[in-house]
Amino acid sequence: MYGLFLKNIAKHIQLNPFEEKQLKEKLHFKTISKNEILLKAGDYCKSIYFVNKGCLRIYQNHQNGEETNILFCPENWWSCDIISFSTGSTASYSIDALENGEVIYIEHHDLENLYIEIPKLERFFRILFQNGFALYQNRLTLALSMSAELRYSLFQKQYPMLMNRISQKHIASYLGITAVFLSIIKKRHVSS
């Protein structure tokens, strides 16, 4: 159940058996259904999720009823509204499941206690948050400076396993284009 999770952590830190046991005692496992909401904008993000199976999305709702997908989180990715999680403020983003799946999560107060009990976990989460910040910066740069066709090509490289797993409307929202324009771009890619 925790194999993929522990491999993810082992990329940056090594836990001894006692530390691994301490960590596992604070973890929660949840089976999730497609479209299940894990966080609603306006609520408090009290947990950080690790995707064991399936795919989550982080998105923002707009007053006109439209949504903007900010990030897709397939297997072996982490998901949360980092500002809400870190500061205790209300969430700006929502998180839901695009597929049936499984998540492992840890609550904020438990993580804070684990930082004291297992200081090297603080290093792991610092690296995780730095990598996440870099991802957001790159995403912002792409959105502001690159064509839709180039954004689509880069999406294919970043998320090759998701191309046939999630709906075109979600991909289009992530790219900042309409589903119709996404179809046109895809046809150009197939014919070239």
Side-chain angles (χ1 to χ4, degrees):
M1 175 175 9
Y2 298 119
L4 188 60
F5 178 88
L6 293 171
K7 282 181 186 175
N8 187 276
I9 288 180
K11 290 179 192 174
H12 301 290
I13 62 169
Q14 296 302 310
L15 298 175
N16 65 43
F18 179 73
E19 292 167 334
E20 193 174 298
K21 182 180 180 292
Q22 283 178 290
L23 174 60
K24 284 180 180 179
E25 288 173 357
K26 303 294 184 186
L27 298 177
H28 304 276
F29 181 86
K30 180 176 175 66
T31 300
I32 54 174
S33 301
K34 183 177 180 175
N35 298 320
E36 183 173 338
I37 297 171
L38 299 175
L39 176 67
K40 266 179 105 167
D43 290 347
Y44 295 92
C45 185
K46 297 178 183 174
S47 302
I48 184 167
Y49 299 94
F50 175 82
V51 182
N52 203 44
K53 182 179 176 187
C55 184
L56 303 179
R57 71 176 174 133
I58 300 174
Y59 62 100
Q60 192 168 45
N61 293 307
H62 302 288
Q63 289 183 350
N64 64 3
E66 291 186 23
E67 299 172 343
T68 300
N69 289 311
I70 306 301
L71 186 65
F72 297 114
C73 306
E75 293 86 359
N76 207 30
W77 283 52
W78 294 82
S79 181
C80 76
D81 180 315
I82 191 62
I83 295 172
S84 176
F85 184 76
S86 299
T87 66
S89 59
T90 56
S92 299
Y93 302 105
S94 296
I95 301 173
D96 72 13
L98 292 175
E99 303 174 313
N100 294 333
E102 304 167 347
V103 294
I104 296 168
Y105 65 97
I106 188 164
E107 295 178 1
H108 183 269
H109 66 275
D110 286 332
L111 185 58
E112 288 294 325
N113 289 332
L114 283 170
Y115 287 159
I116 295 164
E117 295 170 16
I118 311 170
K120 58 182 121 178
L121 275 177
E122 199 160 28
R123 179 180 190 278
F124 172 78
F125 281 96
R126 176 186 51 81
I127 292 168
L128 180 71
F129 295 149
Q130 284 174 324
N131 290 342
F133 186 67
L135 183 68
Y136 279 117
Q137 281 186 319
N138 287 336
R139 175 141 163 67
L140 182 61
T141 300
L142 291 175
L144 295 174
S145 65
M146 299 197 175
S147 70
E149 295 224 12
L150 186 53
R151 290 194 309 268
Y152 176 71
S153 293
L154 292 172
F155 176 85
Q156 286 180 300
K157 288 177 185 161
Q158 183 175 8
Y159 296 111
M161 76 299 274
L162 294 182
M163 293 303 298
N164 297 317
R165 286 173 51 186
I166 60 177
S167 75
Q168 297 305 294
K169 77 174 185 177
H170 288 308
I171 294 172
S173 168
Y174 177 85
L175 296 173
I177 59 177
T178 66
V180 171
F181 190 49
L182 176 59
S183 293
I184 293 167
I185 291 172
K186 286 176 73 173
K187 285 178 186 172
R188 286 185 201 155
H189 276 257
V190 170
S191 62
S192 53

